[in-house]
Amino acid sequence: MANVDQVQPRKAPSLAVQGAMLLVVTAAAIGMGWMSGGYLKGVGAPSSVPGAPENEGKPPQPEAAQQAGAGPTVVALAPITTNIASPADTWIRMEVSVVYDAPQPPAMAEDVQQDLLAFVRTLKMHQIEGASGYQHLKADLDERASIRSQGHVKQVLVRTLLLE
């Protein structure tokens, strides 16, 4: 057994050393925060200065969104009502709209709607359950519509999704 008299208590660092270490760690944290803030602020910065006019002395050009017939176009498709693959007695009703990069003929909207209908018929319930299932469904719809329209569909907006 060890004698109690032989064990010496450990000395803690002095108060001055503890204060110095606290100052060093605080300075490092402030410096890292400032550097990461500057980095993140620079990532999303615009490529040009917003206050400087780019076309001085030239007449202002109309924006693409203000020109007639240009810009994104939202088209509502006919509602999709069908049964899904599994379970076969489950029905789905989905109302969607598509966002085109420019106006397209109505036949393209019908083709996209028929392609989405064919895709929805192949779904199984476990594929669309939960939030991640909805995200996967939305990504698949976006991809199918973009392929069917040769890239003219930029986004599929799901307005209503009902399973019964």
Side-chain angles (χ1 to χ4, degrees):
M1 265 201 209
N3 286 335
V4 177
D5 297 334
Q6 292 177 349
V7 177
Q8 297 178 0
R10 293 184 114 182
K11 288 187 176 181
S14 71
L15 192 57
V17 172
Q18 288 180 357
M21 292 302 293
L22 178 66
L23 287 176
V24 167
V25 170
T26 302
I30 290 172
M32 290 178 67
W34 180 74
M35 293 292 287
S36 63
Y39 173 76
L40 292 175
K41 197 174 193 182
V43 168
S47 61
S48 65
V49 178
E54 293 181 8
N55 45 355
E56 278 186 30
K58 297 178 185 176
Q61 298 291 328
E63 295 287 329
Q66 294 174 349
Q67 294 177 355
T73 306
V74 178
V75 176
L77 301 181
I80 297 171
T81 304
T82 186
N83 59 333
I84 60 175
S86 174
D89 60 340
T90 301
W91 285 77
I92 186 170
R93 178 178 169 88
M94 187 167 61
E95 295 177 8
V96 297
S97 296
V98 292
V99 178
Y100 290 120
D101 55 357
Q104 300 297 323
M108 184 176 290
E110 293 173 11
D111 291 342
V112 169
Q113 192 265 347
Q114 289 299 318
D115 193 46
L116 295 182
L117 171 68
F119 172 71
V120 168
R121 289 186 59 93
T122 65
L123 290 176
K124 296 180 177 152
M125 182 63 89
H126 68 87
Q127 292 174 319
I128 55 177
E129 288 179 342
S132 62
Y134 173 75
Q135 287 179 338
H136 291 297
L137 173 66
K138 177 96 168 61
D140 290 340
L141 293 174
D142 286 341
E143 182 180 358
R144 296 283 297 235
S146 179
I147 290 171
R148 175 60 68 182
S149 67
Q150 290 87 30
H152 291 294
V153 172
K154 297 302 176 192
Q155 189 177 14
V156 175
L157 306 173
V158 178
R159 297 182 310 173
T160 304
L161 179 64
L162 179 69
L163 291 154
E164 183 180 294

